[in-house]
Amino acid sequence: MPIFEFVCQDCGTPFEELVRSANAVGEVSCPYCASDRVIKQISTFASQVAGSAGSITAAPAASCSSGSL
Ligand SMILES: [Zn+2]
């Protein structure tokens, strides 16, 4: 089970949370102020593992997304 890093939007406290599934990410709340306005940080561990074709399929279709014309 991966551990994600979150940052609370209300108190600004960074914390780590063990998330069992992708759906559970939305259920994470701040352990300090109990706010559910948290943002998942990009893990440095996930960026290093770039060769494993896991369940995360985030394909950024970044081609001409700025909108010409
Ligand atoms: Zn908080």
Side-chain angles (χ1 to χ4, degrees):
M1 286 184 287
I3 296 179
F4 291 115
E5 296 181 0
F6 294 88
V7 173
C8 178
Q9 287 284 277
D10 286 348
C11 67
T13 305
F15 61 95
E16 295 180 346
E17 188 74 24
L18 192 142
V19 180
R20 46 184 164 82
S21 67
N23 291 332
V25 174
E27 301 175 357
V28 175
S29 60
C30 178
Y32 301 99
C33 70
S35 173
D36 56 354
R37 295 177 56 199
V38 296
I39 293 180
K40 185 167 72 68
Q41 300 294 101
I42 303 298
S43 175
T44 55
F45 172 75
S47 62
Q48 291 176 355
V49 185
S52 62
S55 59
I56 301 175
T57 311
S63 60
C64 296
S65 61
S66 58
S68 59
L69 292 177

